[in-house]
Amino acid sequence: MGMVANIKREIRFVGGLLRLLKRIKPITLDSDVLICDDIEEAVDKYPDNIAFEDETRKLTYREFEALANRYANWAASRNLKRGDTIALIMHNRVEYVAAWFGFSKIGVATALINNNLSGPALAHCLNISGAFNVVSDEDCWKAADDARPLVDRDIMLWVMGLDEANESNNRRDFDNVVRSASSVRPQRSIRKGLTNRDTALYIFTSGTTGLPKAARITHTRARTYMRAFAGATGSTQKDVLFNVLPLYHSTGGLVGVGSVLLNGGRIVTRRRFSATHFWPDVKATGATMFVYIGELCRYLVNSPQNPDERAHKLRLAFGNGLRPDVWEEFQSRFNIGNILEFYGSTEGNVSLFNFGGKAGAIGRVPGYLKSQLNLRIIELDDDGEPVRLPNGMCKLVRVGDTGEAIGVIGSTVKHDFTGYADKAATQKKILTDVFKKGDRWFRTGDLMRQDKEGYVFFMDRLGDTFRWKGENVSTAEVEQHLSEAEGVQEVIAYGVEVPGQDGKAGMVALVLDPDTTFNAKAFAARAEAELPPYARPLFVRIMESASTTGTFKYRKVDLVSDGFDPDKVKGTIYFRGGEDGYQVMTKAILKDILSGKIRL
């Protein structure tokens, strides 16, 4: 029985990989066929199919492109052109993809900005995007307006559904100006000279240090994301994708969208994920696929039974971050026929696919394809730096051991690494002289291990980033903002595992000024004012001093290992909540957290 299962898994793996490779084969770096050309091809082939649907409206492929053309022609009328950027800040809706699709038709890049950001973090993203024009909606424009004083240039806000009373010289109703723009497809000659090397989008990632970084998504990368999953999922024009992931992220906005949009299928999007409405929506829309992040699946597994949770037409769930302990229950309870787990990063050149459906694996690199797939795993020292052999080269880990995943940088599509808007940030992700003098490799920052069959398993994030609530949290950003809190001398931020939770919850270890006590109320106020909700620490540990490595780096590995059990940690532990914003962690609180009685 095991042999039969392995044969079937191998057949699925080979079949899926061949479909994927067939779709991305036409992409070359110097081609003038861009992402907008791919989408226009689908529009011409499936004009009357429904392309997008949200809570309020549906658009056929023809209507979807007509809207995109209005955006393109409006932007051209404002003399926006190749090399310019427009920032997009809005919730999921049918206009979202139409906007960046339209702007790409005239060579304008779109910066897809996290709609949860505000204040300094939002201003930072607007600053590094280089955008002078911001397109937003009725729910997100105020945050952009509030951040305006922190932006280093004058920006114009264009707001969908803006009340007339809120209009001003630098804030206009976008619906009115777009309505008068032409819906005719712009001439392709407008983007003459553009190639796949040019920028289509900026997608923001917190990376490993500092504030969010703008990953430069070239037309090559956007096309690869979308075409790869149009092939990998095996979708057709009859498929309906249920997509509640944010469209400003690569998983929801490119992987999910491309899986059906290029094949004539329908995308159903919702403003945000709701565990209560998920299954009724999936049933009512006739969805055949949905795209996930691991936390979404865990929420569904932990939710009460819903009468519609098996009364659906889903044939496939695909995404990343599905934990091994959730996988099998998720698949069996909800009657999901197939799960396609994949690995990739917004800016990186390492991609893996688990076409065989082996629970817990993020992909597979069999021996016979090792030279074809862009992945190596190298050994690291205690400081998280590559181990160097006597000849100066890096050392591969043994099968079963954990190390950092890297991908070689080269001049082909699969080896392409375009980096960030910030050149210095780009250089930090490049490792040189790895296996031979002068070679260059992209550092994923992810720890992985590989078994004897070639299956690859994600172990952890390396360094200064962890995921919580579906977002990357930069510990450097947390430390930077909270180091100015009252009475704080040193702050060390890290993520800790909480049983039953995806990702890692934020925790900080504080060294206070001499003769100072922890001011919970002031600290909570500082965290709330300076950090987005997902980055605010859930746990605070008070320490007398912080130990460091021989290179003066904090020993975060020891802090992570200690966790947040007050009986096992020297010093007081605080938990977010209570009248002062943080309260002393007690055995009763710990018990309620571990049992799930307290929802994090």
Side-chain angles (χ1 to χ4, degrees), residues 74-85:
W74 163 81
S77 73
R78 291 190 59 81
N79 296 317
L80 291 166
K81 56 190 180 303
R82 174 182 178 177
D84 291 330
T85 301

Side-chain angles (χ1 to χ4, degrees), residues 21 54 122 368 382 420 470 491 542 559:
L21 293 175
D54 63 17
L122 176 55
Y368 61 86
D382 290 340
Y420 309 96
V491 54
I542 308 301
L559 297 173

Side-chain angles (χ1 to χ4, degrees), residues 100-250:
W100 68 251
F101 169 35
F103 300 146
S104 73
K105 286 170 175 275
I106 63 167
V108 171
T110 308
L112 310 183
I113 296 180
N114 187 329
N115 56 45
N116 292 304
L117 297 178
S118 61
L122 176 55
H124 167 78
C125 291
L126 290 172
N127 280 330
I128 63 176
S129 74
F132 285 86
N133 293 273
V134 178
V135 174
S136 189
D137 62 17
E138 59 269 26
D139 297 312
C140 299
W141 71 266
K142 289 184 179 178
D145 204 43
D146 290 342
R148 192 191 295 273
L150 302 175
V151 179
D152 60 13
R153 71 186 74 87
D154 292 331
I155 58 172
M156 183 71 187
L157 275 176
W158 304 92
V159 184
M160 295 178 182
L162 185 69
D163 292 335
E164 187 176 342
N166 286 317
E167 288 197 287
S168 66
N169 289 335
N170 53 19
R171 188 169 59 242
R172 299 280 302 280
D173 176 38
F174 194 50
D175 294 331
N176 282 338
V177 297
V178 168
R179 197 172 292 119
S180 60
S182 171
S183 63
V184 175
R185 180 180 292 179
Q187 291 294 316
R188 196 172 185 278
S189 58
I190 291 177
R191 49 187 185 267
K192 183 179 180 181
L194 287 170
T195 72
N196 277 311
R197 296 180 186 271
D198 286 289
T199 304
L201 303 167
Y202 290 101
I203 295 180
F204 291 78
T205 172
S206 59
T208 57
T209 59
L211 288 163
K213 297 195 290 289
R216 189 168 75 88
I217 307 300
T218 61
H219 286 269
T220 294
R221 187 168 291 273
R223 294 183 71 201
T224 300
Y225 271 123
M226 295 182 70
R227 293 176 71 94
F229 282 86
T233 59
S235 71
T236 72
Q237 63 174 310
K238 295 181 180 180
D239 276 303
V240 179
L241 175 78
F242 193 65
N243 185 0
V244 293
L245 300 184
L247 294 174
Y248 59 75
H249 270 177
S250 52

Side-chain angles (χ1 to χ4, degrees), residues 370-569:
K370 185 176 180 180
S371 63
Q372 302 298 315
L373 299 179
N374 195 22
L375 172 76
R376 298 293 184 271
I377 303 176
I378 59 172
E379 188 174 325
L380 303 177
D381 63 22
D382 290 340
D383 286 329
E385 294 301 318
V387 170
R388 295 282 183 173
L389 297 167
N391 64 1
M393 300 297 108
C394 293
K395 181 182 180 183
L396 291 170
V397 298
R398 294 175 299 181
V399 172
D401 286 350
T402 297
E404 182 182 4
I406 60 174
V408 69
I409 299 170
S411 58
T412 63
V413 170
K414 72 176 181 179
H415 298 127
D416 188 40
F417 170 57
T418 49
Y420 309 96
D422 182 349
K423 291 183 179 179
T426 300
Q427 288 304 312
K428 289 180 180 179
K429 297 293 287 185
I430 297 175
L431 187 64
T432 59
D433 300 334
V434 178
F435 300 117
K436 62 182 180 179
K437 199 71 175 175
D439 63 357
R440 301 164 72 242
W441 291 71
F442 168 73
R443 297 192 67 172
T444 65
D446 290 326
L447 299 175
M448 301 181 188
R449 69 172 177 85
Q450 188 175 21
D451 68 13
K452 292 179 180 179
E453 295 178 274
Y455 285 99
V456 181
F457 299 84
F458 177 85
M459 304 306 292
D460 206 348
R461 282 290 295 168
L462 175 70
D464 294 327
T465 302
F466 60 90
R467 284 185 70 80
W468 182 247
K469 300 299 182 185
E471 302 281 357
N472 283 336
V473 180
S474 166
T475 58
E477 180 185 356
V478 174
E479 290 165 357
Q480 176 185 339
H481 287 296
L482 298 185
S483 63
E484 300 298 321
E486 180 180 325
V488 172
Q489 187 178 85
E490 295 180 72
V491 54
I492 310 164
Y494 50 100
V496 291
E497 291 186 355
V498 181
Q501 299 286 332
D502 274 339
K504 293 189 174 183
M507 185 167 184
V508 292
L510 303 181
V511 177
L512 302 179
D513 292 331
D515 303 319
T516 300
T517 57
F518 179 58
N519 188 330
K521 184 173 290 187
F523 189 83
R526 179 81 186 184
E528 186 169 349
E530 297 291 334
L531 296 170
Y534 59 81
R536 296 167 192 162
L538 267 71
F539 306 100
V540 175
R541 174 181 178 177
I542 308 301
M543 301 194 306
E544 291 184 4
S545 62
S547 60
T548 60
T549 68
T551 53
F552 305 103
K553 297 178 182 177
Y554 289 122
R555 292 286 303 176
K556 290 188 180 183
V557 64
D558 296 335
L559 297 173
V560 171
S561 178
D562 288 346
F564 52 88
D565 185 337
D567 286 342
K568 298 179 181 179
V569 173

Side-chain angles (χ1 to χ4, degrees), residues 301-322:
V301 165
N302 290 339
S303 297
Q305 284 194 339
N306 187 295
D308 293 322
E309 66 183 36
R310 294 176 67 86
H312 56 71
K313 298 179 181 178
L314 291 174
R315 67 171 183 83
L316 175 69
F318 64 99
N320 53 41
L322 182 55

